[in-house]
Amino acid sequence: MGKNYETIKAHYAGSDAHDMAAMMAPITPATAWTEMVGFPCAGTYVGAPAIIEGVFKRLGEDWDGYTFKLERLVDGGDTVVGIGTYSGTYRKTGKAMSARVVHVWDLKDGKVVRFEQFTDTKLVAEAMR
């Protein structure tokens, strides 16, 4: 497997270990991170501080047990694709959700240039109502 694949594999290992430093290791000040329209954190965030504040902090505050379970990692060279499932319980409603998700990572020399998330936002939204 290539360097970019190993970089994203390490990101997901950091996520599993709740290690934000490991998760953010391949992120640069110019990394563009896009959460899908319709998702609670929808938008594009640039750089680690914005990503942490706009995505991970919000998910941690609003959801109990929010997790991403990686099921498959596809090595496409400069593009790596992670396929898995989100799950968690929305604190305000007490409703649980489980939604399939695809993460598309574009990298250069082991650093993330761009990240884009694709998920079933309807399933997430239903837990929030």
Side-chain angles (χ1 to χ4, degrees), residues 1-8 72-82 105 107:
M1 296 297 157
K3 178 180 182 176
N4 291 331
Y5 175 93
E6 293 300 327
T7 296
I8 300 308
R72 185 172 175 204
L73 195 58
V74 180
D75 186 353
D78 289 340
T79 300
V80 177
V81 177
W105 303 86
L107 298 96

Side-chain angles (χ1 to χ4, degrees), residues 45-67:
Y45 306 89
V46 179
I51 296 164
I52 292 167
E53 188 71 25
V55 179
F56 295 109
K57 183 177 177 189
R58 287 174 59 191
L59 292 173
E61 290 172 348
D62 295 343
W63 295 84
D64 283 323
Y66 187 90
T67 60

